[in-house]
């Protein structure tokens, strides 16, 4: 934990000569898969060579990318890789890291904007709305088939309405049937 505090929340990972990685924060040995997961979760870490004390984070992150690419999760097109290799030794080499950082930051911003727009158009949780509709239908069905089972706070609401209980129950039953027919239609569409 002391290593984490010294480096502004950055977890120190030590790489030993036997290629083992040691997480100084959790006091445990980890794998490259663990580091990949930490990266996906946004956990900051720095990999230090245990013998020399050199920062080898760049090499480890590159190795994780190579493992991901070799494992079938190919994300980098061949033309991009060729262009990237062609930039080494080029007069533009110094500009490439900054350009790639800016491009990735813009990509993340656009991704957040798209996610926000999608959530706003669908509501923050479309399944929650469906659950609310299901609960309302369940309550209507319970009230229709067991009229005397209303909860204490709900009795005053039912008495305060102008329509007679029998007519109201019939209307609720009709509404329930319509909703059930609509749900059956939706289920039929989804199963096809």
């Amino acid at each position: 934990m002391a290593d984490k505090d010294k480096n502004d929340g950055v977890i120190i990972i030590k790489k030993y000569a036997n290629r083992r990685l040691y997480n100084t924060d959790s006091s445990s040995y980890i794998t490259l898969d663990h580091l990949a997961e930490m990266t996906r979760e946004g956990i900051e870490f720095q990999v230090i060579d245990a013998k020399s004390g050199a920062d080898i984070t760049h090499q480890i992150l590159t190795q994780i990318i190579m493992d991901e690419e070799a494992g079938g999760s190919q994300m980098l097109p061949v033309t991009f890789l060729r262009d990237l290799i062609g930039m080494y030794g080029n007069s533009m080499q110094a500009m490439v890291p900054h350009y790639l950082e800016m491009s990735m930051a813009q990509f993340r911003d656009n991704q957040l904007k798209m996610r926000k727009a999608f959530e706003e158009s669908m509501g923050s949780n479309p399944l929650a709305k469906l659950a609310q509709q299901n609960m309302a239908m369940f309550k209507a069905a319970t009230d229709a088939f067991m009229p005397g089972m209303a909860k204490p706070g709900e009795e005053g609401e039912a008495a305060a309405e102008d329509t007679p209980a029998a007519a109201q129950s019939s209307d609720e039953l009709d509404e329930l049937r319509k909703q059930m027919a609509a749900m059956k239609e939706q289920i039929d569409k989804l199963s096809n």
Side-chain angles (χ1 to χ4, degrees):
M1 192 69 152
D3 286 331
K4 187 175 180 180
D5 293 336
K6 288 179 190 174
N7 294 299
D8 299 322
V10 176
I11 297 173
I12 300 298
I13 309 295
K14 292 185 179 179
K15 183 174 186 252
Y16 291 96
N18 61 3
R19 299 183 55 166
R20 293 192 73 186
L21 299 166
Y22 184 76
N23 184 334
T24 59
D25 185 51
S26 65
S27 299
S28 61
Y29 286 98
I30 60 173
T31 64
L32 287 176
D33 290 337
H34 290 113
L35 289 180
E37 188 60 34
M38 289 170 66
T39 302
R40 288 183 191 100
E41 292 173 2
I43 299 171
E44 292 288 327
F45 61 86
Q46 182 179 22
V47 183
I48 305 293
D49 183 278
K51 185 176 181 182
S52 68
D55 182 354
I56 57 170
T57 307
H58 186 272
Q59 291 100 336
I60 295 297
L61 292 174
T62 304
Q63 185 176 354
I64 291 170
I65 291 171
M66 295 306 297
D67 289 351
E68 291 286 338
E69 290 284 318
S73 300
Q74 294 179 343
M75 190 167 43
L76 302 174
V78 172
T79 53
F80 174 80
L81 293 172
R82 289 180 196 271
D83 289 343
L84 191 60
I85 292 168
M87 291 287 184
Y88 284 96
N90 189 323
S91 62
M92 301 294 283
Q93 179 178 346
M95 295 176 61
V96 172
H98 182 66
Y99 174 77
L100 291 176
E101 284 178 354
M102 287 177 41
S103 296
M104 189 55 75
Q106 186 66 36
F107 179 80
R108 279 191 305 267
D109 289 346
N110 289 339
Q111 188 179 26
L112 289 173
K113 288 176 187 174
M114 286 180 62
R115 182 178 296 138
K116 184 178 178 182
F118 178 75
E119 287 175 355
E120 287 174 357
S121 69
M122 294 296 290
S124 61
N125 188 351
L127 295 178
K129 290 181 181 180
L130 186 59
Q132 283 179 326
Q133 289 175 345
N134 288 343
M135 287 303 293
M137 287 175 39
F138 180 74
K139 182 187 176 310
T142 303
D143 292 345
F145 294 114
M146 295 182 243
M149 298 300 290
K151 293 180 182 166
E154 296 171 348
E155 290 174 6
E157 294 173 10
E161 295 181 8
D162 297 334
T163 59
Q168 183 179 354
S169 178
S170 176
D171 290 344
E172 287 177 356
L173 190 55
D174 288 341
E175 181 63 28
L176 182 61
R177 286 184 180 135
K178 288 178 186 175
Q179 289 177 352
M180 289 178 68
M183 284 182 58
K184 184 180 181 314
E185 262 184 62
Q186 289 177 345
I187 291 171
D188 289 343
K189 286 180 184 177
L190 290 173
S191 64
N192 288 335

